[in-house]
Amino acid sequence: VVSAVNSIAMEALLRGETDPYIIQSTRITFGSLIFNGLFVYVMGFIGEAESPQRLDFAYWHYRPSTRECAFAGTCTLDGVFMPSNVDDTTSCACAKGLLVGWSSSWYVYAAIGASVIYNFATGLVVKQFSSVYRSVADGIMLLVLYFILTPFLDDHGHLPFTDMAKNMVVLIVPLSGVSFSYAAAEMQKVFEVATLRMSQAAEETPPVSTDSEPSPRTEEDERSSIPDGRRSPATADRDEVTMVGV
């Protein structure tokens, strides 16, 4: 729900302004930087409040400095590494801070670069087209990520094709996006046809004239419209003679 609301709000924001997209993207990126900087503290507090605690969420706590050490054990509050297996002689160090573990693998820098490119391309697609096409593109990238990049980046060589439940869920996401896009296009066609028919019906209907000429007033209508107190004696005598003749 939050993602859908975010897409709609982003589309309204980008398409409602006339500034170049690079300026709009810079504004959005700056706002995201402020939000993520504040969310670092929220994430740490959530990790401390969990049971059992996830102190690796809080950058102010010690944690293993490499990926291999993270699987081999944990760090104490004093920064001493405690292996999970007593017989394990792996030499690991603990550190704290925002950049712990960044130098352990090139995946970190690849993920940052991919995130920057993805955010820029997403905003460009939303501005030029709509959030529906963005959802379809996200579904296609999910297929690429799950079926191609997962076997390539998995160190254990696990293939995703063996789990049919996950395969069906991954396939449902892009198909639902395509179905929604097709339904939206069909509804747009129906709306355009209905609008065209309404305009044609309005043109064929003859206009109703409101400038009809009033019927001429007779002498009897003029006499009846004059109050009795304002009639002249000659007019009153003539009316009496007329009534007697009738």
Side-chain angles (χ1 to χ4, degrees):
V1 176
V2 176
S3 178
V5 173
N6 182 35
S7 299
I8 296 174
M10 185 177 180
E11 180 178 357
L13 176 64
L14 293 178
R15 308 186 85 176
E17 296 180 351
T18 58
D19 295 333
Y21 172 69
I22 188 64
I23 297 178
Q24 294 177 327
S25 179
T26 303
R27 294 172 182 169
I28 295 175
T29 304
F30 184 73
S32 299
L33 179 63
I34 296 176
F35 175 81
N36 293 332
L38 297 176
F39 192 75
V40 168
Y41 298 94
V42 177
M43 184 173 61
F45 295 146
I46 292 175
E48 291 179 340
E50 287 186 355
S51 181
Q53 289 183 330
R54 291 292 306 272
L55 299 182
D56 54 329
F57 286 178
Y59 73 91
W60 53 86
H61 287 289
Y62 286 98
R63 54 193 186 276
S65 57
T66 61
R67 179 184 179 185
E68 292 76 13
C69 293
F71 289 106
T74 58
C75 296
T76 63
L77 296 177
D78 298 332
V80 178
F81 181 79
M82 299 295 293
S84 302
N85 188 359
V86 180
D87 298 331
D88 191 0
T89 58
T90 304
S91 177
C92 292
C94 296
K96 60 180 179 180
L98 290 174
L99 304 180
V100 173
W102 279 50
S103 60
S104 61
S105 176
W106 62 272
Y107 295 165
V108 178
Y109 301 98
I112 293 176
S115 177
V116 172
I117 297 174
Y118 169 78
N119 292 332
F120 185 86
T122 298
L124 188 61
V125 169
V126 171
K127 182 177 178 62
Q128 297 296 331
F129 302 99
S130 67
S131 57
V132 176
Y133 291 95
R134 176 257 174 121
S135 301
V136 175
D138 284 345
I140 296 175
M141 288 306 301
L142 179 61
L143 295 178
V144 175
L145 176 64
Y146 184 74
F147 290 107
I148 299 178
L149 295 183
T150 299
F152 176 72
L153 299 177
D154 193 355
D155 296 335
H156 302 285
H158 294 160
L159 296 178
F161 311 105
T162 57
D163 194 340
M164 292 304 299
K166 290 183 179 179
N167 295 341
M168 293 298 103
V169 172
V170 172
L171 291 173
I172 285 173
V173 174
L175 290 177
S176 61
V178 172
S179 301
F180 180 79
S181 176
Y182 183 77
E186 292 298 321
M187 287 298 299
Q188 182 67 23
K189 293 180 181 178
V190 172
F191 179 76
E192 292 177 356
V193 171
T195 305
L196 180 60
R197 289 184 177 179
M198 292 177 61
S199 60
Q200 291 177 352
E203 292 177 358
E204 294 175 357
T205 303
V208 179
S209 178
T210 57
D211 299 333
S212 58
E213 297 181 357
S215 58
R217 294 173 60 88
T218 61
E219 185 179 355
E220 182 178 356
D221 294 335
E222 295 178 358
R223 291 198 303 267
S224 60
S225 62
I226 302 175
D228 295 337
R230 297 184 179 180
R231 292 182 182 181
S232 61
T235 302
D237 294 341
R238 186 171 63 251
D239 293 342
E240 291 179 0
V241 171
T242 303
M243 291 298 294
V244 172
V246 174

